[in-house]
Amino acid sequence: MNIGITCYPTYGGSGVVASELGRCLAQRGHTVHFISSSLPNRLMELGERIFFHEVDAMDYPLFEYVPYDLALATKMVEVAQLKQLDLLHVHYAIPHSISGYLAREMMRPRHLPLITTLHGTDITLVGRDHSYLPITQFGIRQSDGVTAISRFLREATLKEFCASCDIRVIPNFIDPERVRRFFSQEIHQRFAPNGEKVLVHLSNFRPVKRVHDVIRVFNLVQKEIPAVLIMIGDGVERSNAQYLVRELGISPKVFFVGMLGMVESYLSICDLMLLPSQTESFGLAALEAMACGVPVVATNVGGLPELVTPETGELFPVGDCEGMAKGALIILTGGKLEQFRAACRERAVKNYSSDNIIPMYEDYYREVIDRGAR
Ligand code: GMT
């Protein structure tokens, strides 16, 4: 198949999933055309059968905001015609499903099937805002196929956006060959020279991730056992988090390493992931940690209960920092860390391997293409 993929190229789960999907599809013989404002972060290199088409959105003094959505729709049509795309697969409803819809309409009478994958905040946060709700609803209804990354997200979408919509659940995934534990003594030594337990948080540091809670939980943990915390990622909450770290006097134990292209080498030296999100439709960061044999302490929200089981970690109410700290200490010092590690890897590979999930996308693509125009 010739597949067009659009996603946010910045640091965020939807861009990671879209990039990995494109990479895996190309490995399986499909040709993938990324259409985006810049090369997605995690794509790094293009490789065989993967192409990138940059959206140029011209600015003009009259515009208060550059109409990127329109430039994107235009580029989608250009690529679809030039490369004979079989379908467009857009990630994150806002505004990509609308640009995809415009592209499809511009292509008529040829039908260019449009699939939208919902990732989370496009439904649970941004899409619910009255300024975007009707257009998000429209984008979902107009798509030829819609997928959601967890059962939770499917239910939330049916409840609040479109009760009669047909939404397929296709969960986040990892390539088990690439996302696996390869312990580097050198990296471990850099952060935990005295054998401290290594806790980790990985996110885009947006308010929804409750980065403050990560610091508070870690502060309680480090009072009980020798421990360090690695903070991977970047975003608006980073400076507030760094301020709190200084206030608590734990700066020497907390490392902000910024955005990383390859997270596996860091996750592989860690003992526990903290993910105290306000809402989390799936929790790709937790899955990546699990694939590297790292158990998870998180909040019992959204799709996290579908991913994190009692064998692979523990879930707590949002804001329950004491509970999360206690849970973390039990996992780290209860003598079962190796058991947790093995269960994490096993669950990640058995349930969320790209070998199982990519065919679900392929089947869905064929189904939507065969269905034709509605
Ligand atoms: O808002 C974000 O956290 C970013 C967002 C994205 O679309 O980049 O992440 C969402 O998509 C990920 C990949 O499908 C999911 O694993 C995350 O759980 C989800 N984030 C939230 O629901 C908060």
Side-chain angles (χ1 to χ4, degrees), residues 11-15 17 92 118-121 124 149 172 204 206 208-209 279-285:
Y11 207 60
S14 57
V17 169
Y92 208 85
L118 307 172
H119 281 271
T121 48
T124 57
I149 50 143
N172 285 177
N204 44 32
R206 292 190 206 146
V208 72
K209 301 293 177 179
T279 171
E280 198 68 68
S281 294
F282 182 90
L284 179 63

Side-chain angles (χ1 to χ4, degrees), residues 110-161:
R110 209 203 118 193
H111 179 62
L112 176 66
L114 168 67
I115 293 181
T116 297
T117 287
L118 307 172
H119 281 271
T121 48
D122 45 355
I123 294 298
T124 57
L125 226 104
V126 191
R128 276 168 68 170
D129 188 89
H130 63 89
S131 53
Y132 294 118
L133 197 141
I135 195 120
T136 308
Q137 230 161 14
F138 180 78
I140 293 170
R141 288 201 178 119
Q142 288 298 324
S143 298
D144 297 289
V146 180
T147 79
I149 50 143
S150 61
R151 294 195 299 276
F152 156 80
L153 190 59
R154 178 179 180 274
E155 295 310 314
T157 311
L158 293 178
K159 196 167 156 222
E160 294 183 42
F161 285 78

Side-chain angles (χ1 to χ4, degrees), residues 1 4 30 36 67 69 103 110 128 134-136 141 163 177 183 196 207 235 241 275 279 305 314 319 334 360 368 370:
M1 280 182 263
H30 305 287
S36 184
D69 326 356
R110 209 203 118 193
R128 276 168 68 170
I135 195 120
T136 308
R141 288 201 178 119
E177 292 302 316
F183 183 86
E196 295 90 338
L275 197 62
T279 171
E314 205 172 347
M360 292 167 83
V368 170
D370 290 349

